[in-house]
Amino acid sequence: MVVVATSKATGKLVSRLRTVSKCVAATPPPKGGGKRRSSPTVSDEQIVKWNMAISSHMRSGNCDSARTLFDEMPRRSTVSWNAMISGYASNGMIELAREMFERVPKRDLVSWNVMIAGHVRNRNLRAARRLFDEMPERDVVSWNTLISGYTQNALMNEARELFEMMPIRNSISWNAMLTGYVQHGKIDLAREFFETNSDWDIVAWNALMGGYVQKGRLEEARELFDRMPERDAVSWNTMISGYAQNGKLPEAEKLFTNAPVLDVVSWTAMVSAYVQNGRLVDAQKVFDEMPERNEVSWNALIAGYAQSRQMDKAQELFEKMPCRNISSWNTMITGHAQNGNVDLAQQVFDRMPQRDSISWAGMIAGYAQNGHGEEALQLFIEMRRTGEQSNRSTFTCSLSTCADLAAVECGKQLHGLLVKVGYEMGCFVGNALLAMYCKCGSIDEAYGAFESMQERDAVTWNTMIAGYARHGFGLEALKVFETMRMTKTKPDDVTMIGVLSACSHAGLVDMGMDYFHTMNAKYGIKTTPQHYTCVIDLLGRAGRLEEAQELMKNMPFEPDATMWGALLGASRIHGDTNLGEIAAEKIFQMEPDNAGMYVLLSNLYAVDGRWRDVDRLRDMMRERGVKKVPGYSWIEIKDEVHTFSVGDTAHPEKERIYAFLEELDLQMKKKGYVSSTKMVLHDVEEEEKEHMLKYHSEKLAVAFGILNVPAGRPVRVIKNLRVCQDCHNAIKYVSKITGRLIILRDSNRFHHFDGETPEVKDDEDDTEFIEIGYVSNVHGLDGEVLVKPSTDFPEMRFGKPGKRWLRSLVSGRKVIREVELTSGRAHAGPKSWILSFGGLDTVEMAKEIVGSSILVREDDRPPLEDGDFYTPDLIGMKVYLKDNRELVGTVVNVLKSGASDLLQVMLVQEANSRSISLDTTSSLSGQLVWIPFVEAIVPDVDIKQRHMLITPPQGLLELNLRRHEASKKERRQLEWKQKKRTRQRLLAAKKKLADIGQQHILEGLSSGDKDQKLLLTDQITNMNLQLFQQALQNISKPKVCNCYLEEFVNANSAKLLHKTLKIPKSSLHCYGNKNQQNGCSELREAGFDFIVQGKVATVLALDDGKVQEGRLQQNSIEENVSNSANCVQLQEFLLNIKEQTKVEENFPVALIMASPANEVQTFRDFLVDHDYYGLDKEKVWILEEDNLPVVSNSAEEKPLKMLLKTPWEVLHAPVGSGSIFNLLSTHTVVDNLSEIGIEYVQVCSLSKRSAIGYPLLLGHIHACKADVGIKIFGDEDDEFFYDMVFSLSFLRRLATQMDELQFFTLEGQRSHVQKIDDDWVVVHPLQPNSYILRSSIYSCLRLCPPDKVCMLHIEG
């Protein structure tokens, strides 16, 4: 057997030890069966050498060699065993360490400590604690080891509990606790702990001061610094760095000058400070004066020069460095790349003696950001081949490169890698993945990535909104925006650019204008030139050119070329040559070399037949040296990019492509395709114009793609310029004929052509049209169709030949195309018309337009007499109930139905039951009702104000309520997406349940019917497992709600003495007599002021935790009685508050209510019925209270198991008052309160006593400058009553410390089901068998310093 020595000295030692071992083994037995001769004794000195060799091998990772030595030892000491245990543990072989520990013949204290340390090092704290509890004796090392394990894993409650149990503590014990609080961001708890000891060493002072610096709380850090009994270099350096990193350079300079001792860290901190503040001259001066320098000093100055683009100086310093580290090389790579010198960056990269993931990421980013996408991807592949681990930055840069190159297949491969390494769910990489799919035309895959992201930021939402908008799916973009608002993610200026662009593509002009005019008031977003450009484009597309011009005149800044370009594009669409010339002239002044604008104006002239002006523009371009950018289209097939230009003859498959195009052209013309020859900018014959249009680059690329891309896969084509109108129209027909999905990306947006339908969504919106009828059927054999009129003038609309438009609904998208009405006549039988359209001369062609609406231009209307209006004018009107002016909805359609019309009304959005805002006018619900348009029901219509008043018979709105019917395909897609999301959530929940030992509740999924399984699935996916796990970790012995308050008061009675206000209950009702108010009138008045100024919010627990058995087994009658009683109590509370504050109307308090799920709608209806008692509807929320599973109290089950009511229902109970903080944090209510100026928040149970002394408590907490105010009654004892006031700043801090929420248990007897031998059995216990997990509001007092608490004690 070979033993590998770690050094020459160790090798010699091993050889000598082997010799000793052989001598002992070679001693022969005595002859004649006499007594065995005693073996040569192995000395303690030799055993020590064996142990040293074992430890040496273990430190080098040679565990097998260490084991070989151990097995060959003639005699072992306890130290030998301990060395093996420690070695295995430090090398991650914890099972072998435990096996060795169990074999130790005689364990000493070190053996136990080493094994505990091994478990701690391998993050198995449960095993470490079990071992700790089994120890026959412990020393301070035992305690410190386990405490350090808890603190390193952020289990500060367990660490503090153990610390308090320690019989003897040393400085290591204290420092471990303090450092744990600091490292995990609990700086206030760290300070509170710090103040409990007066004998701290300098390490502790520095640790706490460093924690304050990391939090940016420099004043508190400086206060500690000034209090320090002694300071070392670390103390000075911490403060200098803190000031420097927070932009307080003068303070940093002053400290640096006054520091008694300066080391290399001090000097480097000042160099970094000057660099961060852009003062490179001073940084260089300090650097030159440094008595000694390290790599960090050099790197700081090099980075400063690189960031300021002074790469010559950076390179000079780099070459002078006596000893470079990998950070030095990475800084140079990044500097060169960011300055556009990719070649120099590559040279540095090639010279590197060693690389890490940051080196690769910097080089990949350099190539990507400088337009070398293929090189970036090649480098990423090379990095993977070398075995270097990819980090988030490399993935992000590579995905961005795929987006720029439209390399969707490469992007999908990267997505697969992301899934393997687990990076795809976070914002940083997830946003890049989302953008890649959007830019590559894979909008469905983009939405899939969006849905799978576990966390989203504003960039995530903006990317999805902009992606939908750029793909032409404006309505989908707006739906995402509304979802974003519901999640309380604040929109920014980029969001609104995407929203306005979406409105433009969807033709939602009025909605877009509303967003534009309210974005500042609603979201605090100031309008920018980009927003104005979007609105000009929005108005221009809709033909409202005068409004667009007026908007440009009244802008707070001068129009730029982009705005004039949008106006020029709109002029071309609507044929306004005069306006187009004005816009073009402005553009030529600002951007004389913009070839695209010359082309746009040429198009305008050509359509108008002004060929001399077209020639004049060409001459102007020639004189000014402006060259038109040639148009190219390309397509990627089998990792090869094929590029085409107009009339391309260089491609090796040109003959096949042209032959296929000719065949397509014939089929297209049979389908009704007509070339848009007006787009040709040459004065030639129509036939020649048609020939010139036939071989545009995008048509060649599409034809090549159809021939070579396998059926079933989309054909993706990219063009460097805007696609022309003729190609757009032609590709629609190609898509229909071939049945292929074609995605064309031009310089402005994506165009989707769905092969399953004859048309696809176009840029043209229908706001400029009105509907006059729809095609109901085919008539005869010559392509004629039967039409149902919806117009008051059928003779004029259908009897007169001319232009008409057909609108179809394709996968939820409106499609419009122009047709020529050649003849029309009234049908002899039903009230219909028989029409004939040009190009539609067969039954098959006629069938394709059945169901289409027939449109005419909005401005094509006969004159009306005074008081009359057109029926289509009703569409878009707001509908109100006449008796109370409550908004019902909006008219979305009008249907001819015999004697009268029917109005189709979309109802307003119903509030979400989980977090309800009582402003029901915010958005539409998607639910539709039919209302007869007769005077008895619709008595008043105001055309100018665009609204109508209705008096519907009782039940009309509910009787015919229908949901909008989506297409069958859409429903399938929606169901599939919902199932996919449910599966993903269920898988995540299953994994979490397995991690916390609760797999047994999944057994119901293997039995029962579909509805029962769905019930269990919903409960599992909606369960707050994080809160449940936290409750199991933090539960203590059974308590009552107010025990935390008693503990707090008893522990801090001296500090609370001066901040406790005692007052008789009787004096609280003497509002006018100041003599009877014990001098509290000023405090009361201060409280009144806060209420009247709208700076106070109230959080009401509508059924705080009176968790008796009835809450778990309550029947419907009891629920109704409970609901009624609670509503009465709510009414008494609100009226009491109004009486005290003397507020008659417009009660300014914000109200948040935590309610049981079954009572949410009851309370909402109650408030609506009573007009909210003067409350502002936008400042009222109803939140569904938190519930947690009931668990078994069996001591044998670890962890405690959830109980099941049925195989498909988990037994739940409310968490109690302490969960209010979790509710406010989860629903971002604290952020909302901050936005509306709230300073104090009352949190109380629903009781008549909660209103007593309310203003006085507000005034008291403000006067004491406290964060928490507590009201207590001295004459009554109700453990479920509480009334507290918190400063909003304290609630904000509390929201970041929800893991500190404490729980206790309530024991009881509860029936449940359990699976025994594959059968479900109902268990009826004879003694307490379960715990309800509860949390008290008073547990928050643990997180508040006693000097920040005040009390109002009401006596009598």
Side-chain angles (χ1 to χ4, degrees):
M1 186 176 293
V2 179
V3 178
V4 180
T6 58
S7 65
K8 291 183 179 179
T10 307
K12 292 178 181 178
L13 176 61
V14 170
S15 299
R16 290 199 297 271
L17 293 176
R18 286 187 180 283
T19 302
V20 172
S21 178
K22 288 177 181 177
C23 291
V24 173
T27 304
K31 294 180 180 180
K35 286 185 178 182
R36 175 184 288 272
R37 243 179 357 198
S38 60
S39 302
T41 302
V42 179
S43 67
D44 290 342
E45 182 180 353
Q46 290 172 320
I47 294 298
V48 169
K49 291 179 179 178
W50 280 88
N51 294 341
M52 289 172 59
I54 289 172
S55 298
S56 177
H57 279 301
M58 284 296 190
R59 282 194 298 271
S60 301
N62 299 319
C63 300
D64 292 340
S65 302
R67 183 60 183 263
T68 302
L69 278 179
F70 179 81
D71 290 341
E72 292 179 354
M73 288 183 72
R75 179 168 66 86
R76 305 181 185 103
S77 66
T78 305
V79 176
S80 313
W81 291 93
N82 293 344
M84 289 299 297
I85 296 169
S86 177
Y88 276 137
S90 61
N91 283 281
M93 302 178 181
I94 194 66
E95 295 301 326
L96 291 175
R98 184 64 193 227
E99 177 190 333
M100 193 66 69
F101 176 78
E102 297 295 340
R103 289 176 52 199
V104 177
K106 187 178 180 181
R107 301 173 189 147
D108 60 7
L109 194 54
V110 176
S111 309
W112 289 90
N113 288 343
V114 166
M115 194 63 231
I116 290 173
H119 282 309
V120 166
R121 188 179 293 113
N122 288 275
R123 304 174 71 87
N124 190 348
L125 297 179
R126 190 171 294 175
R129 182 58 186 261
R130 279 200 302 267
L131 210 59
F132 178 84
D133 293 338
E134 293 171 7
M135 290 182 73
E137 60 174 327
R138 308 182 186 100
D139 61 4
V140 71
V141 174
S142 317
W143 293 87
N144 289 345
T145 302
L146 191 54
I147 287 174
S148 297
Y150 282 139
T151 60
Q152 290 164 10
N153 289 276
L155 299 172
M156 295 306 299
N157 292 336
E158 289 80 354
R160 184 64 179 267
E161 180 185 356
L162 204 63
F163 178 83
E164 298 295 344
M165 293 167 56
M166 285 185 75
I168 301 175
R169 307 177 185 120
N170 59 13
S171 60
I172 296 175
S173 318
W174 288 91
N175 288 346
M177 282 299 304
L178 183 69
T179 305
Y181 281 127
V182 170
Q183 287 178 344
H184 298 292
K186 304 179 186 299
I187 192 67
D188 292 322
L189 289 178
R191 181 59 179 267
E192 180 185 331
F193 181 76
F194 185 82
E195 299 298 344
T196 62
N197 184 18
S198 58
D199 187 25
W200 290 100
D201 59 20
I202 196 169
V203 174
W205 286 88
N206 289 339
L208 184 57
M209 185 170 59
Y212 278 125
V213 166
Q214 289 176 359
K215 290 285 187 180
R217 294 162 65 172
L218 296 182
E219 291 182 4
E220 290 152 297
R222 183 57 186 263
E223 180 258 331
L224 269 183
F225 179 79
D226 293 337
R227 276 180 53 194
M228 290 180 72
E230 60 174 325
R231 307 183 187 104
D232 59 6
V234 175
S235 316
W236 290 90
N237 294 342
T238 301
M239 279 311 303
I240 291 170
S241 300
Y243 280 132
Q245 292 166 3
N246 287 274
K248 298 190 175 183
L249 201 52
E251 289 87 343
E253 290 175 319
K254 187 175 180 181
L255 276 182
F256 181 76
T257 304
N258 295 331
V261 178
L262 295 174
D263 59 10
V264 67
V265 178
S266 316
W267 288 91
T268 303
M270 278 312 298
V271 172
S272 299
Y274 284 125
V275 165
Q276 290 167 7
N277 288 273
R279 292 169 57 176
L280 291 177
V281 175
D282 293 321
Q284 182 71 62
K285 183 178 179 181
V286 173
F287 182 83
D288 293 339
E289 294 174 0
M290 289 180 71
E292 62 172 321
R293 308 180 184 111
N294 59 14
E295 293 92 339
V296 181
S297 317
W298 288 88
N299 291 343
L301 191 55
I302 290 172
Y305 282 126
Q307 291 164 9
S308 64
R309 298 183 176 275
Q310 301 182 47
M311 288 307 299
D312 292 342
K313 291 185 178 180
Q315 186 70 43
E316 182 182 346
L317 273 177
F318 179 75
E319 298 299 340
K320 288 181 180 179
M321 278 188 76
C323 183
R324 306 180 187 116
N325 61 13
I326 199 166
S327 179
S328 316
W329 293 91
N330 291 343
T331 301
M332 290 303 298
I333 289 172
T334 305
H336 283 308
Q338 290 178 347
N339 284 276
N341 299 320
V342 186
D343 292 338
L344 292 177
Q346 183 68 57
Q347 291 176 17
V348 174
F349 184 78
D350 293 339
R351 287 172 53 196
M352 289 184 76
Q354 183 182 358
R355 300 171 184 143
D356 61 5
S357 59
I358 298 175
S359 316
W360 290 94
M363 201 63 237
I364 291 170
Y367 276 124
Q369 293 164 6
N370 287 278
H372 302 290
E374 293 183 11
E375 290 84 348
L377 292 178
Q378 191 61 44
L379 200 61
F380 179 84
I381 295 169
E382 184 181 339
M383 179 191 70
R384 298 286 300 176
R385 287 174 180 163
T386 63
E388 182 65 54
Q389 188 68 35
S390 307
N391 61 15
R392 287 178 171 82
S393 294
T394 55
F395 275 115
T396 301
C397 293
S398 301
L399 286 168
S400 299
T401 300
C402 291
D404 294 336
L405 297 176
V408 66
E409 295 303 324
C410 182
K412 287 180 178 179
Q413 293 178 33
L414 286 173
H415 189 181
L417 287 174
L418 282 173
V419 173
K420 287 183 179 179
V421 299
Y423 283 164
E424 84 281 8
M425 295 301 182
C427 287
F428 186 60
V429 178
N431 291 343
L433 180 67
L434 184 58
M436 183 276 294
Y437 278 128
C438 285
K439 291 182 179 180
C440 290
S442 302
I443 196 66
D444 289 337
E445 286 85 349
Y447 188 73
F450 174 80
E451 284 288 279
S452 67
M453 289 178 68
Q454 293 178 347
E455 54 180 281
R456 299 168 184 158
D457 57 11
V459 176
T460 314
W461 293 98
N462 292 349
T463 304
M464 197 66 242
I465 292 169
Y468 268 136
R470 197 175 178 203
H471 282 260
F473 303 138
L475 293 176
E476 286 81 352
L478 295 179
K479 289 176 185 176
V480 174
F481 175 66
E482 290 302 321
T483 307
M484 176 186 183
R485 289 178 54 200
M486 291 171 61
T487 64
K488 305 299 182 183
T489 304
K490 189 174 182 181
D492 55 22
D493 57 331
V494 179
T495 313
M496 298 314 297
I497 291 173
V499 168
L500 293 172
S501 177
C503 289
S504 180
H505 287 299
L508 302 172
V509 184
D510 292 335
M511 186 179 290
M513 295 303 294
D514 183 61
Y515 280 129
F516 177 71
H517 290 304
T518 61
M519 57 192 280
N520 191 10
K522 281 187 176 180
Y523 314 114
I525 301 171
K526 295 182 179 179
T527 51
T528 66
Q530 289 85 354
H531 296 126
Y532 275 94
T533 302
C534 290
V535 176
I536 292 167
D537 181 64
L538 171 70
L539 293 171
R541 286 176 183 270
R544 293 157 66 167
L545 300 179
E546 292 183 2
E547 289 182 56
Q549 286 180 277
E550 192 65 26
L551 182 69
M552 293 176 70
K553 289 179 183 177
N554 297 324
M555 287 191 308
F557 27 71
E558 289 297 319
D560 58 19
T562 309
M563 298 175 189
W564 286 112
L567 199 60
L568 176 57
S571 302
R572 183 190 66 80
I573 293 173
H574 299 286
D576 193 332
T577 308
N578 293 332
L579 182 57
E581 287 180 317
I582 295 171
E585 186 60 36
K586 294 288 186 181
I587 296 170
F588 297 157
Q589 292 174 10
M590 299 176 185
E591 297 179 356
D593 297 330
N594 191 334
M597 297 300 105
Y598 289 92
V599 174
L600 267 180
L601 186 57
S602 293
N603 287 341
L604 198 55
Y605 285 146
V607 171
D608 209 22
R610 294 168 56 175
W611 298 110
R612 290 185 179 178
D613 289 320
V614 172
D615 293 337
R616 179 176 58 83
L617 267 183
R618 288 203 186 103
D619 293 339
M620 187 186 300
M621 291 176 67
R622 198 176 299 113
E623 291 172 4
R624 295 179 179 179
V626 179
K627 293 184 179 180
K628 179 184 174 184
V629 178
Y632 291 99
S633 299
W634 61 93
I635 183 172
E636 181 183 355
I637 296 175
K638 295 180 181 179
D639 298 328
E640 184 178 354
V641 177
H642 299 260
T643 304
F644 298 88
S645 59
V646 61
D648 201 314
T649 57
H651 196 277
E653 296 188 39
K654 60 180 182 297
E655 294 180 0
R656 185 178 174 217
I657 295 171
Y658 280 96
F660 184 54
L661 270 179
E662 291 295 338
E663 181 185 342
L664 284 175
D665 188 56
L666 291 174
Q667 295 185 55
M668 285 158 55
K669 287 180 178 178
K670 289 181 180 180
K671 294 287 186 181
Y673 164 70
V674 178
S675 299
S676 300
T677 54
K678 62 182 180 180
M679 303 304 301
V680 178
L681 304 183
H682 297 277
D683 187 13
V684 294
E685 295 298 326
E686 287 296 310
E687 187 176 346
E688 188 174 348
K689 288 182 180 180
E690 186 177 331
H691 182 77
M692 295 170 72
L693 290 171
K694 188 182 296 185
Y695 305 119
H696 277 191
S697 63
E698 52 265 55
K699 291 179 181 175
L700 296 174
V702 166
F704 179 72
I706 293 172
L707 290 171
N708 291 278
V709 175
R713 298 185 63 183
V715 177
R716 303 175 189 274
V717 174
I718 305 172
K719 185 174 182 180
N720 64 330
L721 304 176
R722 287 294 306 268
V723 62
C724 78
Q725 183 178 336
D726 179 73
C727 288
H728 192 280
N729 190 34
I731 294 173
K732 291 180 187 179
Y733 282 91
V734 171
S735 174
K736 165 61 181 174
I737 292 167
T738 60
R740 301 295 295 270
L741 171 62
I742 301 171
I743 301 173
L744 174 60
R745 170 183 170 182
D746 66 14
S747 61
N748 188 56
R749 55 160 287 191
F750 286 86
H751 305 267
H752 290 247
F753 304 90
D754 188 348
E756 297 179 1
T757 59
E759 299 287 349
V760 294
K761 179 172 171 51
D762 206 339
D763 279 346
E764 191 170 22
D765 73 87
D766 64 349
T767 57
E768 63 188 59
F769 297 99
I770 56 175
E771 183 175 336
I772 59 174
Y774 72 96
V775 180
S776 62
N777 210 337
V778 176
H779 181 81
L781 302 176
D782 298 325
E784 292 181 324
V785 292
L786 205 61
V787 172
K788 290 284 187 181
S790 59
T791 173
D792 298 322
F793 314 98
E795 293 83 7
M796 184 188 80
R797 298 305 192 190
F798 304 125
K800 180 182 177 182
K803 288 184 179 179
R804 302 293 188 273
W805 286 262
L806 295 178
R807 179 182 64 200
S808 307
L809 197 64
V810 178
S811 298
R813 292 174 280 155
K814 288 180 290 190
V815 178
I816 300 172
R817 65 166 171 170
E818 183 180 317
V819 292
E820 189 73 23
L821 176 62
T822 56
S823 66
R825 63 187 186 278
H827 194 280
K831 294 181 179 179
S832 302
W833 281 71
I834 302 168
L835 305 185
S836 177
F837 295 102
L840 301 178
D841 50 12
T842 66
V843 174
E844 288 74 19
M845 291 181 178
K847 284 181 179 179
E848 291 179 358
I849 66 169
V850 171
S852 299
S853 299
I854 304 176
L855 312 175
V856 294
R857 292 284 185 186
E858 168 76 8
D859 52 6
D860 183 14
R861 292 185 171 197
L864 290 175
E865 296 181 6
D866 291 341
D868 290 342
F869 54 85
Y870 289 103
T871 303
D873 287 340
L874 300 174
I875 296 175
M877 278 192 177
K878 299 290 184 184
V879 181
Y880 296 87
L881 294 176
K882 187 172 182 178
D883 55 353
N884 61 8
R885 299 303 173 102
E886 181 182 345
L887 178 64
V888 174
T890 303
V891 179
V892 295
N893 199 3
V894 181
L895 180 67
K896 288 284 184 181
S897 177
S900 65
D901 296 336
L902 284 177
L903 304 180
Q904 191 178 39
V905 177
M906 184 175 288
L907 301 181
V908 292
Q909 175 72 51
E910 289 185 1
N912 183 284
S913 63
R914 177 69 181 169
S915 176
I916 298 178
S917 171
L918 294 177
D919 178 15
T920 56
T921 64
S922 56
S923 57
L924 299 177
S925 66
Q927 292 183 317
L928 301 172
V929 296
W930 294 104
I931 298 176
F933 188 55
V934 295
E935 188 171 357
I937 297 177
V938 188
D940 297 311
V941 177
D942 192 326
I943 292 293
K944 292 183 179 179
Q945 298 297 324
R946 303 286 298 153
H947 71 251
M948 65 178 67
L949 304 179
I950 64 171
T951 55
Q954 185 176 5
L956 173 66
L957 297 180
E958 293 79 16
L959 181 65
N960 61 85
L961 181 65
R962 302 169 187 169
R963 291 198 175 273
H964 175 65
E965 290 293 331
S967 68
K968 188 175 180 181
K969 179 181 177 182
E970 284 181 310
R971 289 200 303 272
R972 284 200 307 269
Q973 290 176 340
L974 182 61
E975 289 171 1
W976 180 83
K977 288 180 179 179
Q978 289 174 339
K979 288 179 181 178
K980 182 179 179 182
R981 285 196 294 268
T982 302
R983 281 199 304 270
Q984 290 173 338
R985 292 175 60 197
L986 184 60
L987 286 173
K990 283 182 176 180
K991 184 179 184 303
K992 186 68 175 179
L993 288 168
D995 291 342
I996 62 177
Q998 303 292 337
Q999 305 97 312
H1000 65 285
I1001 72 168
L1002 300 173
E1003 292 175 342
L1005 295 175
S1006 60
S1007 61
D1009 58 30
K1010 181 180 179 182
D1011 290 338
Q1012 289 170 327
K1013 292 179 182 179
L1014 284 176
L1015 175 63
L1016 181 57
T1017 298
D1018 288 341
Q1019 290 186 69
I1020 293 172
T1021 55
N1022 293 323
M1023 195 179 295
N1024 192 338
L1025 292 177
Q1026 182 177 355
L1027 190 66
F1028 176 71
Q1029 188 177 11
Q1030 181 183 339
L1032 291 184
Q1033 292 174 347
N1034 292 354
I1035 55 175
S1036 58
K1037 60 184 179 181
K1039 296 188 177 184
V1040 292
C1041 182
N1042 56 12
C1043 68
Y1044 292 99
L1045 177 60
E1046 293 175 5
E1047 293 173 0
F1048 181 80
V1049 172
N1050 293 336
N1052 301 283
S1053 56
K1055 293 183 180 179
L1056 293 173
L1057 183 62
H1058 302 294
K1059 293 193 176 184
T1060 300
L1061 176 63
K1062 293 188 177 182
I1063 185 169
K1065 182 178 180 181
S1066 58
S1067 68
L1068 291 174
H1069 301 285
C1070 304
Y1071 304 124
N1073 191 337
K1074 294 185 178 181
N1075 294 327
Q1076 297 184 48
Q1077 294 182 32
N1078 294 355
C1080 296
S1081 59
E1082 292 184 4
L1083 297 180
R1084 190 193 308 278
E1085 290 300 323
F1088 285 155
D1089 289 342
F1090 277 108
I1091 295 172
V1092 173
Q1093 293 169 17
K1095 296 182 178 180
V1096 180
T1098 293
V1099 180
L1100 277 178
L1102 299 180
D1103 187 19
D1104 174 53
K1106 297 171 184 173
V1107 188
Q1108 314 304 335
E1109 294 304 313
R1111 279 300 304 276
L1112 299 178
Q1113 308 289 340
Q1114 201 171 43
N1115 61 38
S1116 59
I1117 297 176
E1118 291 171 330
E1119 285 181 5
N1120 291 334
V1121 173
S1122 172
N1123 292 353
S1124 177
N1126 281 333
C1127 287
V1128 171
Q1129 280 193 311
L1130 175 60
Q1131 182 179 36
E1132 290 179 355
F1133 174 83
L1134 293 173
L1135 292 177
N1136 233 322
I1137 295 294
K1138 292 187 75 172
E1139 180 184 356
Q1140 289 191 57
T1141 56
K1142 307 298 183 183
V1143 176
E1144 298 295 334
E1145 297 179 356
N1146 300 326
F1147 195 26
V1149 174
L1151 181 63
I1152 302 100
M1153 293 177 282
S1155 165
N1158 63 322
E1159 298 181 21
V1160 168
Q1161 190 61 39
T1162 300
F1163 284 114
R1164 177 172 177 265
D1165 293 342
F1166 175 75
L1167 287 173
V1168 171
D1169 292 342
H1170 292 82
D1171 200 22
Y1172 313 108
Y1173 291 94
L1175 293 163
D1176 184 346
K1177 292 183 289 185
E1178 294 186 356
K1179 296 181 181 179
V1180 177
W1181 293 266
I1182 301 181
L1183 309 177
E1184 184 181 318
E1185 68 181 0
D1186 276 327
N1187 287 273
L1188 284 180
V1190 178
V1191 295
S1192 165
N1193 67 352
S1194 172
E1196 299 175 358
E1197 294 181 338
K1198 295 294 181 181
L1200 303 178
K1201 302 296 185 184
M1202 299 180 189
L1203 296 184
L1204 292 167
K1205 184 177 179 181
T1206 70
W1208 309 280
E1209 293 179 88
V1210 180
L1211 200 59
H1212 284 92
V1215 182
S1217 58
S1219 70
I1220 285 177
F1221 302 120
N1222 185 62
L1223 281 179
L1224 297 179
S1225 172
T1226 304
H1227 295 280
T1228 65
V1229 175
V1230 175
D1231 293 334
N1232 293 336
L1233 296 179
S1234 177
E1235 291 177 3
I1236 61 177
I1238 298 297
E1239 294 184 13
Y1240 290 103
V1241 180
Q1242 179 194 25
V1243 182
C1244 60
S1245 52
L1246 184 58
S1247 166
K1248 60 183 179 181
R1249 293 187 297 171
S1250 298
I1252 299 175
Y1254 174 43
L1256 184 56
L1257 181 57
L1258 282 172
H1260 185 42
I1261 188 175
H1262 180 67
C1264 293
K1265 298 181 179 179
D1267 281 330
V1268 179
I1270 308 171
K1271 181 168 67 180
I1272 58 175
F1273 280 77
D1275 60 335
E1276 300 176 36
D1277 184 22
D1278 180 359
E1279 67 172 279
F1280 293 107
F1281 169 76
Y1282 56 89
D1283 189 357
M1284 304 176 72
V1285 172
F1286 299 91
S1287 70
L1288 194 68
S1289 58
F1290 176 72
L1291 287 181
R1292 276 187 174 280
R1293 293 199 301 274
L1294 205 60
T1296 64
Q1297 297 177 302
M1298 292 312 301
D1299 56 336
E1300 298 290 337
L1301 195 64
Q1302 291 294 297
F1303 290 81
F1304 61 93
T1305 58
L1306 292 178
E1307 197 170 36
Q1309 291 176 230
R1310 294 169 186 91
S1311 298
H1312 65 282
V1313 300
Q1314 185 175 344
K1315 198 168 189 180
I1316 301 175
D1317 297 330
D1318 294 329
D1319 291 323
W1320 289 102
V1321 178
V1322 180
V1323 179
H1324 298 289
L1326 300 177
Q1327 58 186 6
N1329 69 324
S1330 58
Y1331 288 141
I1332 290 177
L1333 304 174
R1334 301 280 290 153
S1335 179
S1336 166
I1337 191 171
Y1338 293 122
S1339 65
C1340 72
L1341 295 174
R1342 300 174 59 258
L1343 305 176
C1344 185
D1347 59 349
K1348 289 290 186 180
V1349 178
C1350 68
M1351 301 183 70
L1352 174 63
H1353 190 174
I1354 300 174
E1355 300 174 314

